[in-house]
PDB file of all heavy atoms in Angstrom:
ATOM      1  N   TRP M 131      13.403   6.914   1.954  1.00 98.00           N
ATOM      2  CA  TRP M 131      13.218   8.217   1.306  1.00 98.00           C
ATOM      3  C   TRP M 131      11.889   8.206   0.526  1.00 98.00           C
ATOM      4  O   TRP M 131      11.760   8.738  -0.541  1.00 98.00           O
ATOM      5  CB  TRP M 131      14.407   8.469   0.372  1.00 98.00           C
ATOM      6  CG  TRP M 131      14.539   9.840  -0.214  1.00 98.00           C
ATOM      7  CD1 TRP M 131      14.158  10.236  -1.467  1.00 98.00           C
ATOM      8  CD2 TRP M 131      15.102  11.011   0.404  1.00 98.00           C
ATOM      9  NE1 TRP M 131      14.448  11.559  -1.673  1.00 98.00           N
ATOM     10  CE2 TRP M 131      15.040  12.067  -0.535  1.00 98.00           C
ATOM     11  CE3 TRP M 131      15.665  11.254   1.647  1.00 98.00           C
ATOM     12  CZ2 TRP M 131      15.507  13.345  -0.265  1.00 98.00           C
ATOM     13  CZ3 TRP M 131      16.135  12.525   1.928  1.00 98.00           C
ATOM     14  CH2 TRP M 131      16.058  13.559   0.976  1.00 98.00           C
ATOM     15  N   ASN M 132      10.892   7.590   1.074  1.00 98.00           N
ATOM     16  CA  ASN M 132       9.631   7.392   0.368  1.00 98.00           C
ATOM     17  C   ASN M 132       8.880   8.701   0.135  1.00 98.00           C
ATOM     18  O   ASN M 132       8.826   9.566   1.012  1.00 98.00           O
ATOM     19  CB  ASN M 132       8.734   6.446   1.168  1.00 98.00           C
ATOM     20  CG  ASN M 132       9.419   5.139   1.489  1.00 98.00           C
ATOM     21  OD1 ASN M 132      10.107   4.574   0.654  1.00 98.00           O
ATOM     22  ND2 ASN M 132       9.244   4.660   2.719  1.00 98.00           N
ATOM     23  N   GLY M 133       8.320   8.828  -1.050  1.00 97.00           N
ATOM     24  CA  GLY M 133       7.469   9.968  -1.355  1.00 97.00           C
ATOM     25  C   GLY M 133       8.183  11.291  -1.507  1.00 97.00           C
ATOM     26  O   GLY M 133       7.537  12.346  -1.550  1.00 97.00           O
ATOM     27  N   ASN M 134       9.508  11.275  -1.609  1.00 97.00           N
ATOM     28  CA  ASN M 134      10.284  12.511  -1.713  1.00 97.00           C
ATOM     29  C   ASN M 134      10.779  12.747  -3.137  1.00 97.00           C
ATOM     30  O   ASN M 134      10.718  11.862  -3.985  1.00 97.00           O
ATOM     31  CB  ASN M 134      11.494  12.465  -0.774  1.00 97.00           C
ATOM     32  CG  ASN M 134      11.094  12.457   0.678  1.00 97.00           C
ATOM     33  OD1 ASN M 134      10.022  12.931   1.051  1.00 97.00           O
ATOM     34  ND2 ASN M 134      11.954  11.888   1.514  1.00 97.00           N
ATOM     35  N   LYS M 135      11.298  13.930  -3.365  1.00 96.00           N
ATOM     36  CA  LYS M 135      11.897  14.248  -4.650  1.00 96.00           C
ATOM     37  C   LYS M 135      13.293  13.633  -4.748  1.00 96.00           C
ATOM     38  O   LYS M 135      13.938  13.351  -3.734  1.00 96.00           O
ATOM     39  CB  LYS M 135      11.983  15.764  -4.837  1.00 96.00           C
ATOM     40  CG  LYS M 135      10.623  16.450  -4.895  1.00 96.00           C
ATOM     41  CD  LYS M 135      10.764  17.928  -5.183  1.00 96.00           C
ATOM     42  CE  LYS M 135       9.384  18.587  -5.260  1.00 96.00           C
ATOM     43  NZ  LYS M 135       9.477  20.021  -5.617  1.00 96.00           N
ATOM     44  N   THR M 136      13.719  13.405  -5.974  1.00 96.00           N
ATOM     45  CA  THR M 136      15.080  12.929  -6.217  1.00 96.00           C
ATOM     46  C   THR M 136      15.671  13.698  -7.388  1.00 96.00           C
ATOM     47  O   THR M 136      14.938  14.255  -8.215  1.00 96.00           O
ATOM     48  CB  THR M 136      15.105  11.424  -6.554  1.00 96.00           C
ATOM     49  OG1 THR M 136      14.351  11.196  -7.748  1.00 96.00           O
ATOM     50  CG2 THR M 136      14.516  10.591  -5.423  1.00 96.00           C
ATOM     51  N   ASN M 137      16.983  13.741  -7.451  1.00 95.00           N
ATOM     52  CA  ASN M 137      17.674  14.302  -8.613  1.00 95.00           C
ATOM     53  C   ASN M 137      19.100  13.729  -8.645  1.00 95.00           C
ATOM     54  O   ASN M 137      19.449  12.844  -7.864  1.00 95.00           O
ATOM     55  CB  ASN M 137      17.673  15.835  -8.596  1.00 95.00           C
ATOM     56  CG  ASN M 137      18.526  16.407  -7.483  1.00 95.00           C
ATOM     57  OD1 ASN M 137      19.122  15.687  -6.686  1.00 95.00           O
ATOM     58  ND2 ASN M 137      18.605  17.722  -7.423  1.00 95.00           N
ATOM     59  N   VAL M 138      19.905  14.222  -9.540  1.00 95.00           N
ATOM     60  CA  VAL M 138      21.265  13.704  -9.702  1.00 95.00           C
ATOM     61  C   VAL M 138      22.061  13.847  -8.405  1.00 95.00           C
ATOM     62  O   VAL M 138      22.808  12.942  -8.010  1.00 95.00           O
ATOM     63  CB  VAL M 138      21.984  14.443 -10.844  1.00 95.00           C
ATOM     64  CG1 VAL M 138      23.455  14.048 -10.895  1.00 95.00           C
ATOM     65  CG2 VAL M 138      21.309  14.134 -12.179  1.00 95.00           C
ATOM     66  N   GLU M 139      21.903  14.971  -7.719  1.00 95.00           N
ATOM     67  CA  GLU M 139      22.656  15.208  -6.488  1.00 95.00           C
ATOM     68  C   GLU M 139      22.250  14.236  -5.388  1.00 95.00           C
ATOM     69  O   GLU M 139      23.089  13.809  -4.581  1.00 95.00           O
ATOM     70  CB  GLU M 139      22.459  16.657  -6.035  1.00 95.00           C
ATOM     71  CG  GLU M 139      23.101  17.660  -6.982  1.00 95.00           C
ATOM     72  CD  GLU M 139      22.654  19.083  -6.725  1.00 95.00           C
ATOM     73  OE1 GLU M 139      21.448  19.300  -6.530  1.00 95.00           O
ATOM     74  OE2 GLU M 139      23.521  19.975  -6.716  1.00 95.00           O
ATOM     75  N   PHE M 140      20.984  13.880  -5.339  1.00 96.00           N
ATOM     76  CA  PHE M 140      20.542  12.895  -4.343  1.00 96.00           C
ATOM     77  C   PHE M 140      21.226  11.555  -4.571  1.00 96.00           C
ATOM     78  O   PHE M 140      21.735  10.935  -3.626  1.00 96.00           O
ATOM     79  CB  PHE M 140      19.026  12.724  -4.394  1.00 96.00           C
ATOM     80  CG  PHE M 140      18.532  11.545  -3.603  1.00 96.00           C
ATOM     81  CD1 PHE M 140      18.466  11.601  -2.223  1.00 96.00           C
ATOM     82  CD2 PHE M 140      18.149  10.374  -4.240  1.00 96.00           C
ATOM     83  CE1 PHE M 140      18.021  10.510  -1.480  1.00 96.00           C
ATOM     84  CE2 PHE M 140      17.706   9.276  -3.514  1.00 96.00           C
ATOM     85  CZ  PHE M 140      17.644   9.343  -2.125  1.00 96.00           C
ATOM     86  N   PHE M 141      21.234  11.089  -5.817  1.00 95.00           N
ATOM     87  CA  PHE M 141      21.859   9.800  -6.101  1.00 95.00           C
ATOM     88  C   PHE M 141      23.369   9.853  -5.904  1.00 95.00           C
ATOM     89  O   PHE M 141      23.988   8.855  -5.523  1.00 95.00           O
ATOM     90  CB  PHE M 141      21.492   9.337  -7.511  1.00 95.00           C
ATOM     91  CG  PHE M 141      20.064   8.879  -7.626  1.00 95.00           C
ATOM     92  CD1 PHE M 141      19.138   9.611  -8.353  1.00 95.00           C
ATOM     93  CD2 PHE M 141      19.639   7.721  -7.000  1.00 95.00           C
ATOM     94  CE1 PHE M 141      17.810   9.192  -8.450  1.00 95.00           C
ATOM     95  CE2 PHE M 141      18.331   7.286  -7.088  1.00 95.00           C
ATOM     96  CZ  PHE M 141      17.413   8.027  -7.818  1.00 95.00           C
ATOM     97  N   SER M 142      23.971  11.016  -6.134  1.00 94.00           N
ATOM     98  CA  SER M 142      25.400  11.163  -5.846  1.00 94.00           C
ATOM     99  C   SER M 142      25.659  11.027  -4.358  1.00 94.00           C
ATOM    100  O   SER M 142      26.660  10.437  -3.929  1.00 94.00           O
ATOM    101  CB  SER M 142      25.907  12.528  -6.337  1.00 94.00           C
ATOM    102  OG  SER M 142      25.827  12.626  -7.740  1.00 94.00           O
TER     103      SER M 142
END
Side-chain angles (χ1 to χ4, degrees):
W131 190 261
N132 306 319
N134 294 335
K135 296 184 179 183
T136 61
N137 68 359
V138 172
E139 292 167 316
F140 169 76
F141 287 111
S142 295

